[in-house]
Amino acid sequence: MAINMKGKDLISIADLTLEEVYEIFDVSKTLKEKLYTGEPHRLLEGKTLGMIFAKPSTRTRISFEAGIYQLGGYGMYFNQNDLQLGKSENVHDTAKVLSRYLNGIMIRTFSHQDVVDLAKYASIPVINGLTDLLHPCQVLADLFTILEKRRRLQGLKLAYIGDGNNMAHSLLNGCSKVGMDISIASPSGYKPLKEIVEHAEKNAKYMGSKVEILDDPVAAVKNADIVYTDVWASMGQEKEAVERKKKFAPFQVNPGLVKNAKDDYLFMHCLPAHRGDEVVDEIADSPNSIIFDEAENRLHVQKAVMALIM
Ligand code: CP
Ligand code: NVA
């Protein structure tokens, strides 16, 4: 491990240097190879990761739990009802107490500020496993997957079609960090946050890449190397699902849309997918789709993150 990241938090890709991002990818590749060849890699022997979930999860929970176990450590799962947090105890006191027992905390919750505060008061590393604002672990795994498939990141174009949500925000952070062009097409009223777009534009300028926020999915997908989408209603927005379905209908990823991308484009989705809404089976199950490779890489990349920071 060439760069020392011990004690760092992973709250946002924007907090990582480009060198740290590539260090995570290097370690991910090594750990993936070791897992495949059966070579032990118990880098976190005896260490404990607390995993707090205020929202449901398949990939994040299972990949972190399997990952810490493969590294020789132990993962403890808590759902919101298990803890005093948010009921009779505040974030400050929770952070102080957990720091006395654990070696790291992974948290998935609604408020991004709660994760920022947890990291501020905890003396152990805190990993953001998704907030309403960001999903950095997913996008690190996504970029690693693209790197595996295309052997480079800089100069590629990613088109994100759909809601300007946590995925759109982390993709803006991630793509602009590594010098990939990113075009986002969303309905009006559902665009990504201005501050995040502006930050990405600044990074992109430095890296010589582009950020586009568009209304037209066809224009966004034009010549794209990667077509990415996510659910139209995220966790916590279930009540808006019917209204969103109408507004997002023109933003479905289907054969008519992807014919504007490069012939060998890659289709990506963080999952879970609402098939028939944001993407049709014909695309999700096509040879261009790498959705299960990106899901798998959550495991390898998060193991790298834990091994580097814990
Ligand atoms: N992509 C992702 O984070 O999936 P889960 O919600 O299943 O963890
Ligand atoms: N935008 C989605 C991502 C799920 C991994 C959500 O927040 O529900």
Side-chain angles (χ1 to χ4, degrees), residues 15-61:
D15 303 333
L16 299 172
T17 65
L18 184 61
E19 291 70 26
E20 287 171 337
V21 169
Y22 277 97
E23 176 72 1
I24 292 169
F25 296 159
D26 283 349
V27 176
S28 304
K29 183 170 183 283
T30 306
L31 294 180
K32 187 171 180 174
E33 281 162 8
K34 285 190 197 290
L35 186 72
Y36 276 38
T37 58
E39 201 184 314
H41 47 282
R42 297 173 69 85
L43 300 170
L44 296 180
E45 189 85 56
K47 297 209 171 165
T48 307
L49 176 77
M51 308 188 300
I52 305 172
F53 283 89
K55 294 178 178 180
S57 167
T58 296
R59 280 142 290 271
T60 306
R61 180 191 173 170

Side-chain angles (χ1 to χ4, degrees), residues 56-61 108 130 135 138 235 270-272 298:
S57 167
T58 296
R59 280 142 290 271
T60 306
R61 180 191 173 170
R108 164 171 292 193
L130 180 147
H135 197 0
Q138 179 68 51
M235 291 180 274
C270 56
L271 305 177
R298 293 290 303 276

